[in-house]
C-alpha cells in the first residue's frame, strides 16, 4: 500500500533536548512538507522540499531543521531553540506536476 | 499574503440535516482548493479537490463549489450522519509561493 508514514505517533521531549520526527513516503512524490498544527489554528508550514538535497523555510522555520538526503525521507528535527514545541506535526507529500497534497497520520510532540 | 478563513469555527446539527461549511480566501491566484477531513488526533484525509478552472466537485453526499473571483468555496454535506463528525479543513494551493495554505477548520458535530 502506498502512503506516508510518520513515526512515532507520540513523542515526549524534555526541556533542552533535540528530537527528530520521521516521515517516509513510498508514493514516489517529489515534494514533501512539514506542518505544525495547534488547537484552533490552521496548519502552518515549517519547511518544504521540492527535490532531493534542497529545501526551503516555510512560515515558522525558527527552531526547526530538516534534511532531504533521499526522495522517500524528510525528517524534521525540533531543536532546543524552539521555545514552544508542543503541537501536532503533520508531514505531506505531492507528486511533481500535481497540486494535490497527501498527508501522514501525524506525530504529537509534548514537552515534559 | 494569502489568508484562508473558515466560518463557522464549530457547528452542531441533528442527524439528517443538510449543512454548508464556508471557506474564503483573499487572493484569487490559486491552482486549486482542497477540502480535508480530520478526525481527532489523526492526519488529514482529502475529500474533494477543485481545480481553479472548475466550479464544483461531487463525491457521494459531499459537494464542493468554488467561486474563484469572489474568493469563496462551500462544502455541502447532504443528510448528515454521526460519522460525519470531524473537523473539516479547507486549503488553497497558492500560485505565489507554490504551497498549500490552510484555514483553521470547522469542527462539526452531528447528533444522533
Amino acid at each position: 500500500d502506498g502512503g506516508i508514514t510518520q513515526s512515532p505517533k507520540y513523542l515526549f521531549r524534555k526541556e533542552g533536548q533535540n528530537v527528530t520526527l520521521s516521515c517516509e513516503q513510498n508514493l514516489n512524490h517529489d515534494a514533501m512538507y512539514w506542518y505544525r498544527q495547534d488547537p484552533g489554528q490552521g496548519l502552518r508550514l515549517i519547511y518544504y522540499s521540492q527535490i532531493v538535497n534542497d529545501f526551503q523555510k516555510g512560515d515558522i522555520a525558527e527552531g526547526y531543521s530538516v534534511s532531504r538526503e533521499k526522495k522517500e525521507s524528510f525528517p524534521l528535527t525540533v531543536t532546543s531553540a524552539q521555545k514552544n514545541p508542543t503541537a501536532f506535526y503533520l508531514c505531506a507529500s505531492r507528486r511533481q506536476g500535481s497540486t494535490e497534497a497527501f498527508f501522514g497520520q501525524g506525530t504529537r510532540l509534548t514537552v515534559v | 499574503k494569502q489568508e484562508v478563513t473558515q466560518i463557522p469555527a464549530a457547528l452542531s446539527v441533528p442527524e439528517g440535516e443538510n449543512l454548508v461549511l464556508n471557506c474564503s480566501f483573499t487572493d484569487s491566484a490559486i491552482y486549486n482548493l482542497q477540502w480535508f477531513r480530520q478526525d481527532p488526533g489523526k492526519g488529514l484525509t482529502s475529500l474533494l479537490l477543485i481545480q481553479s478552472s472548475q466550479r464544483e466537485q461531487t463525491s457521494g453526499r459531499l459537494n464542493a463549489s468554488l467561486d474563484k473571483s469572489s474568493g469563496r468555496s462551500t462544502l455541502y454535506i447532504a443528510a448528515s450522519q454521526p460519522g460525519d463528525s470531524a473537523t473539516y479543513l479547507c486549503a488553497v494551493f497558492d500560485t505565489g509561493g507554490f504551497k498549500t495554505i490552510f484555514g483553521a477548520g470547522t469542527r462539526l458535530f452531528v447528533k444522533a
Side-chain angles (χ1 to χ4, degrees):
Chain A
D1 259 344
I4 303 173
T5 302
Q6 289 187 240
S7 63
K9 188 173 180 179
Y10 300 98
L11 186 58
F12 297 89
R13 190 194 94 167
K14 292 183 179 179
E15 297 272 358
Q17 275 186 339
N18 293 352
V19 290
T20 298
L21 284 61
S22 170
C23 178
E24 304 276 334
Q25 54 97 0
N26 60 5
L27 300 168
N28 199 33
H29 286 178
D30 297 282
M32 297 186 74
Y33 304 80
W34 274 106
Y35 290 89
R36 169 181 172 140
Q37 187 178 34
D38 293 283
Q41 297 190 37
L43 278 68
R44 292 183 289 167
L45 183 63
I46 304 172
Y47 268 97
Y48 62 105
S49 167
Q50 300 197 63
I51 195 170
V52 174
N53 292 323
D54 187 44
F55 48 83
Q56 288 78 40
K57 293 182 179 180
D59 300 317
I60 55 166
E62 185 175 351
Y64 300 97
S65 66
V66 293
S67 63
R68 187 84 186 279
E69 297 176 1
K70 299 187 299 181
K71 188 176 185 178
E72 304 78 22
S73 179
F74 191 41
L76 173 74
T77 297
V78 184
T79 75
S80 56
Q82 170 50 239
K83 297 306 178 189
N84 185 23
T86 295
F88 191 54
Y89 291 86
L90 286 158
C91 177
S93 70
R94 181 180 55 80
R95 179 176 53 82
Q96 186 178 20
S98 169
T99 55
E100 184 175 8
F102 295 85
F103 282 80
Q105 288 300 299
T107 293
R108 184 165 298 281
L109 173 63
T110 304
V111 174
V112 296
Chain B
K1 181 182 175 184
Q2 178 76 267
E3 292 183 2
V4 180
T5 303
Q6 291 187 246
I7 295 172
L11 181 64
S12 180
V13 300
E15 182 177 7
E17 191 162 302
N18 302 327
L19 59 101
V20 173
L21 307 181
N22 296 293
C23 171
S24 62
F25 47 95
T26 55
D27 187 344
S28 62
I30 62 171
Y31 280 116
N32 67 32
L33 185 142
Q34 203 167 352
W35 282 94
F36 294 88
R37 170 184 171 137
Q38 185 178 31
D39 292 292
K42 303 290 187 182
L44 276 62
T45 300
S46 180
L47 297 174
L48 290 164
L49 172 72
I50 311 177
Q51 300 292 351
S52 61
S53 58
Q54 297 175 319
R55 298 283 291 183
E56 65 177 338
Q57 282 286 332
T58 298
S59 176
R61 294 183 293 108
L62 306 179
N63 175 278
S65 68
L66 174 64
D67 184 343
K68 205 173 72 163
S69 61
S70 67
R72 293 181 185 177
S73 176
T74 61
L75 178 66
Y76 175 82
I77 302 177
S80 59
Q81 302 170 358
D84 294 331
S85 298
T87 296
Y88 291 82
L89 293 153
C90 150
V92 298
F93 197 90
D94 191 60
T95 61
F98 210 64
K99 53 190 178 182
T100 305
I101 298 168
F102 287 82
T106 294
R107 184 179 296 179
L108 173 65
F109 180 63
V110 181
K111 297 172 286 187

